Amino acid sequence: VWYHHGVQDDDAAPPATLEDVARGAGVSRSTASRALTGTGPVSDSALRRVRQTARELGYVADPVARALVRRQGTRVVVAVTSDASDLSGWYLSRVLAAGARICTPEGLGIGVVPVRRADPVRPLQALARDRTVAGVVLVNTTPEMLAAVPPALRGRAVSIGVGSDTEPSFDVDNAGAGRRTTEHLVRSGRRRIAMVTGPPWLPCSWRAVEAYREAVEAAGLPVRIVPGGFDPAHGDAGATTALARWPDTDAVMAIGDDVALGVLRALRRAGRRVPGDVAVTGFDDLPVADATDLTSGTHPVEDVAAAAVRGVLARVDAEGTRFSASELVVRASA
Amino acid sequence: VWYHHGVQDDDAAPPATLEDVARGAGVSRSTASRALTGTGPVSDSALRRVRQTARELGYVADPVARALVRRQGTRVVVAVTSDASDLSGWYLSRVLAAGARICTPEGLGIGVVPVRRADPVRPLQALARDRTVAGVVLVNTTPEMLAAVPPALRGRAVSIGVGSDTEPSFDVDNAGAGRRTTEHLVRSGRRRIAMVTGPPWLPCSWRAVEAYREAVEAAGLPVRIVPGGFDPAHGDAGATTALARWPDTDAVMAIGDDVALGVLRALRRAGRRVPGDVAVTGFDDLPVADATDLTSGTHPVEDVAAAAVRGVLARVDAEGTRFSASELVVRASA
DNA sequence: TTGAAAGCGCTAACAG
DNA sequence: CTGTTAGCGCTTTCAA
């Protein structure tokens, strides 16, 4: 009625269905479907009319009905190695948030399931047979996890971190970041650089370590690696170990900012000054790095995650790992 | 075949349908459906048989088909005021991650849409008519947003922050946190306590400010409020303003840790010592608070978000705001 | 190029 | 209490 403005009316009106569009355009449902999806032959005139009425009616295909018939799924699920309780915090949250932003406009949702490192098979198989699953993004990927991807999931699974011949992968340029950080330390005069690494079982963290190794070797400096993990506790322990083993250490690279925080604590306890006695670097460029004046490398988690989710939806092929760039952010600590 | 273990076979087997279960149990689809969903009358024997075969076949109802016929939707969407670019970072990510954990086991996904403060109507109406939307969680809720919730969304919309007569709401106990923090400062001898608040348009942040006001008034101390926002820049500006207006300020409460970081910077620049000259407190208890020895209050974002999502799925009624507890974490800064 | 018809897997009236 | 029937909204053969 005239005194109602569109907005109010819309509110009650049930969403238009394909049937409505077809009727409005004077064609059959099939034709309307073809016209809208772009599959199959449609005459130009029909195409125009259908598109027109669809627009007028504000028609949007119901993703649920579509998913039912196409067996497409309605959500992308992030499968994350649950052992990395440390990583699971901010890292996983950011991945999910970035993924949600990609999925939402497509009418999809995002979900998350934990995968125990010891038994990746079962959960992945459950995902494979779950008809709501449009695709799977592996996070904190291990080789065992990749091997456990069921054939039924091939082509709709991607990995953040390491990939394989069959699963596409996405990650930040860990190697470049590791190299640049090491080179920065060398350039600023550090000669006995130690590195506290991530958990040994996480292959994607190896890349930074390898880059560090190559860079110090190239500079003719000693390689000083201490295995760690992604939390402050590992940083603290790692730095303590490094100091005990190599008391003349003049720089500590940490695999992440959280780790670096632990390193800083250990150094403070040991009475070493930063950066006077020992330079310290992190990685991830978290807010905490800025707040504590920690030199770090950017980690565009959102970019990586968005690319991964787009990749899984677009069914990209597995051709090596797609790396997102990282930049060194120099602050007072190094 | 004998040399295949179950796991391998499962991989290829198409998921069992209700039809399969019904046939296996020797009943009709309807009976099987009733037995499994618990709706409608079923004989004990039928119930047992259906459940049994369902278990054997590893049957799980296809949420897509179910959603289609029940018009239930397949995802919970978080509608967030996009103006709060500051808040959108870690806060929104944590809400989404927590929500995903609740939704996933239900076969649902989670999504996120931005809502401009100036025009909350359109996006909410789009959600109302979107058949994939099982429920909506409002984040950074404003009164305008609550008013814009379409009738079609009533009963499947909840809010994190402020609520209304019709929309249930969930939040951390901002008031309690504000009161306890203020009281802590008073107890430790502070007498001229200023507070840097959140963005004026965000009602849920008012509760902490009110609690501060009441607590200082109860102690016979002056009320010193500086409007702010959720980022370090506002904290810096706020503290600078406070110092200019009330040079004898001996404590600054910030509405959040990020804000407190800015406050600390401003104080450092002004040559004030913390906590010697001025005590500083934050809120949220982020990792950065621990790293910078900042006294703060816990903010169980995950609890609040999980409760909100559970609430929307369970269609809880709007009876006041459900508060999650916050604890004061005393560190060196206050 | 088009339309009729047959489902996707499930739920929900409605008779029996 | 149970089975039959009729869809949910969409895609997709298959004839015409």
Side-chain angles (χ1 to χ4, degrees):
Chain A
V1 285
W2 67 268
Y3 48 84
H4 266 168
H5 291 296
V7 175
Q8 296 288 337
D9 288 341
D10 283 356
D11 203 23
T17 76
L18 184 59
E19 179 78 50
D20 300 330
V21 176
R23 196 164 357 166
V27 298
S28 71
R29 259 179 10 220
S30 333
T31 305
S33 173
R34 281 179 222 123
L36 262 9
T37 57
T39 72
V42 195
S43 68
D44 273 8
S45 73
L47 185 68
R48 240 194 320 283
R49 268 168 16 226
V50 169
R51 282 201 180 148
Q52 169 68 8
T53 45
R55 193 168 320 116
E56 283 169 3
L57 269 47
Y59 171 78
V60 186
D62 178 357
V64 178
R66 186 171 270 179
L68 178 62
V69 64
R70 286 195 186 157
R71 320 181 110 91
Q72 259 185 161
T74 58
R75 54 179 186 171
V76 169
V77 175
V78 171
V80 58
T81 304
S82 53
D83 302 55
S85 58
D86 4 51
L87 245 188
S88 316
W90 60 267
Y91 182 68
L92 181 59
S93 296
R94 286 173 64 184
V95 169
L96 289 172
R101 272 183 251 264
I102 304 298
C103 287
T104 304
E106 312 291 330
L108 299 172
I110 197 158
V112 56
V113 297
V115 176
R116 274 178 311 126
R117 194 146 54 85
D119 171 30
V121 176
R122 245 159 241 294
L124 289 178
Q125 245 155 15
L127 290 178
R129 58 184 341 180
D130 182 332
R131 277 180 291 254
T132 67
V133 174
V136 172
V137 176
L138 269 27
V139 167
N140 294 167
T141 311
T142 63
E144 293 75 28
M145 222 166 152
L146 285 168
V149 172
L153 232 39
R154 291 275 163 69
R156 11 176 229 142
V158 304
S159 162
I160 293 183
V162 292
S164 70
D165 286 348
T166 48
E167 320 318 330
S169 54
F170 302 81
D171 206 349
V172 63
D173 180 16
N174 283 301
R179 182 170 46 72
R180 273 187 297 275
T181 306
T182 314
E183 287 172 356
H184 167 75
L185 289 170
V186 171
R187 255 199 319 276
S188 49
R190 306 295 168 165
R191 288 295 172 267
R192 293 168 301 272
I193 307 169
M195 174 160 194
V196 181
T197 74
W201 54 265
L202 194 64
C204 65
S205 70
W206 299 346
R207 292 197 275 243
V209 181
E210 273 321 296
Y212 151 82
R213 180 199 299 278
E214 284 168 19
V216 288
E217 281 179 345
L221 304 176
V223 175
R224 299 181 166 181
I225 295 177
V226 184
F230 282 120
D231 55 334
H234 279 100
D236 190 323
T240 305
T241 302
L243 250 35
R245 200 176 304 170
W246 310 291
D248 62 348
T249 293
D250 63 2
V252 179
M253 275 175 69
I255 191 83
D257 290 342
D258 289 336
V259 185
L261 252 31
V263 170
L264 289 171
R265 197 199 308 143
L267 290 174
R268 203 178 310 131
R269 211 177 39 235
R272 311 284 182 114
R273 306 234 231 154
V274 175
D277 302 326
V278 182
V280 176
T281 64
F283 178 66
D284 292 328
D285 195 33
L286 300 183
V288 79
D290 191 49
T292 59
D293 267 328
L294 178 68
T295 292
S296 188
T298 57
H299 186 169
V301 179
E302 283 72 19
D303 292 352
V304 174
V309 171
R310 281 202 200 91
V312 77
L313 292 178
R315 306 248 187 286
V316 300
D317 341 283
E319 35 185 39
T321 301
R322 276 101 165 158
F323 290 108
S324 294
S326 168
E327 279 171 31
L328 186 67
V329 182
V330 178
R331 299 200 180 85
S333 75
Chain B
V1 285
W2 68 269
Y3 49 83
H4 266 168
H5 291 295
V7 174
Q8 296 287 339
D9 289 341
D10 283 356
D11 202 23
T17 77
L18 185 59
E19 181 77 52
D20 300 330
V21 176
R23 194 160 359 154
V27 298
S28 71
R29 267 188 352 230
S30 334
T31 305
S33 173
R34 280 179 223 123
L36 262 10
T37 57
T39 73
V42 196
S43 67
D44 273 7
S45 71
L47 185 68
R48 240 193 321 280
R49 269 171 13 229
V50 170
R51 282 201 180 147
Q52 169 68 8
T53 44
R55 193 168 320 116
E56 284 169 3
L57 269 48
Y59 171 78
V60 186
D62 178 357
V64 178
R66 185 172 271 177
L68 178 62
V69 64
R70 284 196 186 155
R71 328 185 113 179
Q72 259 186 162
T74 58
R75 53 178 186 171
V76 170
V77 175
V78 171
V80 58
T81 304
S82 52
D83 302 55
S85 57
D86 5 51
L87 244 188
S88 317
W90 59 267
Y91 182 70
L92 181 60
S93 296
R94 286 172 65 184
V95 168
L96 289 171
R101 272 183 251 265
I102 304 299
C103 287
T104 303
E106 312 290 330
L108 299 173
I110 198 157
V112 56
V113 297
V115 176
R116 274 177 312 126
R117 195 146 54 85
D119 171 30
V121 176
R122 245 159 243 293
L124 289 178
Q125 245 155 14
L127 289 178
R129 57 184 341 182
D130 182 332
R131 277 180 292 253
T132 67
V133 174
V136 171
V137 176
L138 270 27
V139 167
N140 294 168
T141 311
T142 63
E144 293 75 27
M145 222 167 152
L146 285 168
V149 172
L153 233 38
R154 291 275 164 67
R156 14 176 226 142
V158 305
S159 162
I160 293 184
V162 292
S164 69
D165 286 348
T166 48
E167 320 318 331
S169 54
F170 302 81
D171 207 347
V172 63
D173 180 16
N174 283 303
R179 182 172 45 72
R180 273 188 297 275
T181 306
T182 314
E183 287 173 356
H184 167 75
L185 290 169
V186 171
R187 256 200 318 277
S188 48
R190 308 294 169 164
R191 287 295 172 269
R192 294 169 301 271
I193 307 169
M195 174 160 194
V196 181
T197 74
W201 54 265
L202 194 63
C204 65
S205 70
W206 300 346
R207 293 197 274 243
V209 181
E210 273 322 296
Y212 151 82
R213 181 198 299 278
E214 285 168 19
V216 288
E217 282 180 344
L221 304 177
V223 175
R224 299 181 167 182
I225 294 177
V226 183
F230 282 119
D231 56 333
H234 279 100
D236 190 324
T240 305
T241 303
L243 250 35
R245 199 175 305 170
W246 310 290
D248 62 347
T249 293
D250 63 3
V252 180
M253 275 176 68
I255 192 83
D257 290 342
D258 288 337
V259 185
L261 253 30
V263 170
L264 289 172
R265 196 198 310 143
L267 291 174
R268 204 178 309 131
R269 210 175 41 233
R272 310 285 182 114
R273 305 234 231 151
V274 175
D277 303 328
V278 182
V280 176
T281 64
F283 179 65
D284 292 328
D285 194 33
L286 300 182
V288 79
D290 191 48
T292 59
D293 268 328
L294 178 68
T295 293
S296 189
T298 58
H299 186 169
V301 180
E302 283 71 20
D303 291 353
V304 174
V309 172
R310 280 203 200 92
V312 77
L313 292 178
R315 305 248 186 287
V316 300
D317 341 284
E319 35 184 39
T321 301
R322 275 102 166 159
F323 291 108
S324 294
S326 167
E327 280 171 30
L328 186 67
V329 182
V330 178
R331 299 199 180 87
S333 75

